Amino acid sequence: MPIYEYRCHRCQKEFSHLLLNLREERNIKCKYCGSKTLRKLISSFSVHQTEASRLANFDTSKPRGDDFYRDSRNIGLWAKKRMKEMGVDLGPKLDEIVERGRTGKILEDYEK
Ligand SMILES: [Zn+2]
């Protein structure tokens, strides 16, 4: 689905728009104030990052919403980075932990 995210210059709000035809783009208006001065944001739907760059961009100190935890890839990444930050070298066990993280168990076991 070609969903694009825009930020309005006038009201600074962000919204996503399903763009079926690229020629439609110039007709897109802000959903909130109707301004046509928009900046296209890189869509999270279309960006495929490598795991390394996902890890690098990861800030484990920030709270994550439910959406975040619904993505099992993020849980695995979170676990890996968190372990690294804590200086825990789990070696081969890490994969097992990440695997458990993907099923949601890691949050119970490691946030106590
Ligand atoms: Zn606006």
Side-chain angles (χ1 to χ4, degrees):
M1 279 283 190
I3 297 170
Y4 295 94
E5 313 246 339
Y6 298 87
R7 184 200 291 267
C8 173
H9 274 268
R10 194 198 280 170
C11 67
Q12 297 299 311
K13 290 202 168 108
E14 288 175 18
F15 61 94
S16 47
H17 187 92
L18 176 67
L19 197 64
L20 300 170
N21 184 330
L22 270 174
R23 279 173 298 176
E24 267 179 48
E25 192 168 31
R26 59 200 165 89
N27 296 321
I28 296 171
K29 289 181 200 159
C30 172
K31 283 184 184 172
Y32 301 96
C33 71
S35 168
K36 281 191 169 186
T37 316
L38 307 170
R39 186 163 72 91
K40 197 191 219 169
L41 304 173
I42 292 169
S43 169
S44 53
F45 297 95
S46 63
V47 177
H48 294 284
Q49 292 178 302
T50 64
E51 181 168 292
S53 78
R54 282 168 70 99
L55 267 176
N57 292 330
F58 225 58
D59 186 352
T60 49
S61 64
K62 285 194 183 137
R64 301 285 168 176
D66 287 347
D67 284 351
F68 175 81
Y69 288 113
R70 254 178 237 136
D71 187 336
S72 60
R73 290 169 310 168
N74 283 339
I75 293 175
L77 274 173
W78 181 89
K80 274 189 196 174
K81 185 142 181 182
R82 198 77 190 105
M83 294 297 159
K84 237 174 155 182
E85 281 176 358
M86 292 192 292
V88 182
D89 185 7
L90 292 151
K93 246 200 126 190
L94 182 60
D95 286 336
E96 189 197 315
I97 288 165
V98 167
E99 209 40 60
R100 287 164 68 196
R102 288 190 207 279
T103 62
K105 286 183 188 141
I106 195 159
L107 299 175
E108 296 162 26
D109 292 350
Y110 289 89
E111 287 206 329
K112 273 178 187 160

